[in-house]
Each structure stands twice: as C-alpha cells, then as structure tokens.
Amino acid sequence: MSKRILCVGAAVLDTIFRVRALPSGEGKILPYEMVQVAEGMASSAAYAIVRLGGSATLLGAVGDDDTGRRICDDLAQAGIDTSAMTVVAGAPSALSTILVDDRGDRLIVPFYDPRLHHAIPQISDEMIAGFVAVLVDVRWARLAREVLQAARRVGIPAILDGDVAPVETLLLLAEVADHIIFSEPAARSLAQAKAETDLVRELAERFPQALVCVTLGAAGAYWMEGAELRHQPALQVVAVDTLAAGDAFHGAYALAVAEGLDTSDAVRLGSVTAALKCTVFGGRTGMPLRDDAEKALQQLPSPSKLRPH
C-alpha cells in the first residue's frame, strides 16, 4: 500500500512565463511559453509524493472564489487528496506570477492575503495518527507548528521544509521538527557560518532534536547524521526550470522516510527527483515518476563522509 503523507501549507495558482532572460529594469518583456498550474511549496511536494508512488493529503487554504475552486480541482486531478482543504470566505485565493529564463532561473511575485491563514482548523492527535509522516512548509506557520507537535506526540516523522521566511517563523517551526531541510538562503538567515560545512554543523548544534539537511542546488546537499557530516553531490543536468525543485526534494525525502529508507537513501531520492524536475518547464508539472527516479539513482554519485570539524 502507498504511504499516506500529510502536506501542510501553500496552495497557489501560478502563472509561469518562459522568457529568454529575466528583466533588469522597467519595460516590457515578451514570453515565448506559458502555463498556469496550481502549486506552492506543500502542494508541489504533495505532487512529487504522488508521482513517486505515495499518497498525499494537502491541508491548505483557498478563498471562496473561482481561483480557489480551480486550485482545488487542479490539485485533485493531479491525484492529491484535497478533502482537508480550508475554504475561507471573504479572502482571495493566493496568486503568483513567475518568470523563468533560459538558464532555468526564476523571478517569483506571490500574493497571499493574510486572512487566508488567520484562523486554523482543529488538529487532533487521532487525525495525525492516520498518516505515516507529515511535511509542512513555512506559509501557514501556526498550523504547521501544531501539526509538527502532534506528529511528534504520535511518533511519526515531523518534517519541515525550511524555506525563506521571517527568522521568527523559521525558529518557531524548526524547534518542534525532527527533520529539517533548509534551503541555502533560509539556512544563512539563521547562521553566522560562511562555509557550507560549517553552516550545517552550526544549524545541527542549534536544533539538536532534529536531523538537519541543507540543500544547495547544483552543489548538492549536506546533512548531519549523528556527529558525522555527509555530502550528496547533485545529479548533473541541463536546468530548464528550477521552480519547485526544492519541493521535489522535500516530497521525495518525506516519502522515502515514510517508506523506512535511511537518511542517505532519502537524500539521494530527493536529489534525483529535484534534478529531473529541473529538466522540464512548468513548475511542478515536471515531477518525475518513480521508475525514472530509480533509473537516475544509478547515475548519482555516492555520498561522501567529511572529516570531523
């Protein structure tokens, strides 16, 4: 049976434009490709889980409007369970405009009405116990914290997508997670260290209750396993669209942990899933299937153990 994972956080209708180069100032820029898709950090991670053979339930918020209905319909058609979604009367659903250039880099302009996440649904331990893992992002922080705490109480993995957010939000969530995957910008907002190895060590010392991992795009991922620092090189690909690559990593990692894989194998699955996603334009629509990810694993360099500090 597929592993059932709860994903908590962002649900957005993205309009993604593909352009030759990102703008450097005012003016008009003409895209040569466009796609509209419902995604967001938790939503895209949920889709990665589904594509890799897991089962994902999304707990997020949309407005009582056409955009909200489109977001839920789009995600449901993608195989994500949207029955737990919250519909907020009087608040517009989240929207985002994204430019992706020919190098795969992107410029994101998101809009979230704060009323979407003002109230939080009731969370019980019994509800959380119906899943084998939870994965939360930083978008709905108060709810994410409650879900992480409930997951730890019932003894299932409590995984945080530690992406860019106010420092107080990252601290609020990181202190109650038992797996933290930081993006490099988020990691650097919390630590003083400059070198990647020192950065990971500093964060692992700051959050001793958690397994801490930092993803660095083409530079791979570093994580602490006990007192040992490890590095997983990235799969080398030609990047077409890096949008949702981090979400691909997080969803794949969460599924691997839920399946009982060890940390090294979870990071490896996350790495190839993120890399393969980058080869396709269209945000989360580029998530690979499990067979493709397994084939890519055969080409992925082995992780290395780094010398003690």
Side-chain angles (χ1 to χ4, degrees), residues 4 38 43 78 84 112 143 159 190 207 212 238 270 294 297 299:
R4 189 167 176 243
S43 301
Y112 291 87
L143 176 61
I159 306 166
L190 293 179
F207 305 108
V212 173
V238 176
E294 295 288 350
L297 281 170
Q299 310 300 320

Side-chain angles (χ1 to χ4, degrees), residues 161-172:
D161 168 2
D163 205 351
V164 175
V167 167
E168 56 270 23
T169 296
L170 288 169
L171 293 175
L172 182 77

Side-chain angles (χ1 to χ4, degrees), residues 96-115:
S96 185
T97 298
I98 302 168
L99 303 182
V100 178
D101 69 11
D102 282 347
R103 299 194 312 169
D105 294 334
R106 76 266 195 204
L107 174 66
I108 305 174
V109 184
F111 174 74
Y112 291 87
D113 189 295
R115 290 172 292 179

Side-chain angles (χ1 to χ4, degrees), residues 39-299:
E39 47 187 7
M41 292 175 285
S43 301
S44 296
Y47 186 55
I49 290 166
V50 170
R51 292 280 286 176
L52 293 172
S55 173
T57 296
L58 179 65
L59 177 49
V62 296
D64 184 17
D65 54 18
D66 289 341
T67 300
R69 287 183 281 276
R70 179 171 178 180
I71 289 171
C72 290
D73 288 347
D74 192 2
L75 295 174
Q77 290 172 12
I80 300 167
D81 174 15
T82 59
S83 61
M85 290 290 288
T86 297
V87 178
V88 182
S93 296
L95 294 165
S96 185
T97 298
I98 302 168
L99 303 182
V100 178
D101 69 11
D102 282 347
R103 299 194 312 169
D105 294 334
R106 76 266 195 204
L107 174 66
I108 305 174
V109 184
F111 174 74
Y112 291 87
D113 189 295
R115 290 172 292 179
L116 282 175
H117 302 138
H118 179 70
I120 60 174
Q122 185 174 1
I123 299 297
S124 68
D125 289 0
E126 291 74 19
M127 171 194 171
I128 300 302
F131 299 93
V132 294
V134 301
L135 169 64
V136 309
D137 69 29
V138 296
R139 186 59 62 192
W140 201 350
R142 290 170 55 226
L143 176 61
R145 181 180 171 91
E146 288 204 9
V147 169
L148 289 172
Q149 290 175 313
R152 296 184 71 187
R153 285 195 299 270
V154 302
I156 64 173
I159 306 166
L160 169 62
D161 168 2
D163 205 351
V164 175
V167 167
E168 56 270 23
T169 296
L170 288 169
L171 293 175
L172 182 77
L173 300 178
E175 67 185 16
V176 294
D178 52 32
H179 296 255
I180 309 170
I181 305 172
F182 287 112
S183 66
E184 182 180 6
R188 294 198 180 281
S189 75
L190 293 179
Q192 299 298 316
K194 301 301 182 185
E196 289 87 351
T197 53
D198 294 335
L199 179 68
V200 180
R201 288 189 178 101
E202 181 180 340
L203 290 170
E205 291 176 2
R206 187 166 190 177
F207 305 108
Q209 86 290 348
L211 186 146
V212 173
C213 176
V214 178
T215 60
L216 296 109
Y222 291 84
W223 75 98
M224 291 295 297
E225 195 152 348
E228 192 172 74
L229 179 63
R230 297 191 178 189
H231 174 239
Q232 174 60 60
L235 182 70
Q236 297 304 301
V237 297
V238 176
V240 171
D241 177 5
T242 58
L243 182 65
D247 309 324
F249 188 108
H250 303 141
Y253 179 92
L255 179 59
V257 169
E259 291 177 344
L261 276 64
D262 63 25
T263 303
S264 177
D265 287 336
V267 171
R268 286 173 62 78
L269 183 61
S271 296
V272 297
T273 302
L276 293 176
K277 192 253 80 68
C278 289
T279 65
V280 180
F281 171 72
R284 72 157 173 87
T285 63
M287 298 294 180
L289 293 169
R290 188 63 173 262
D291 285 348
D292 295 323
E294 295 288 350
K295 290 176 184 176
L297 281 170
Q298 300 173 21
Q299 310 300 320

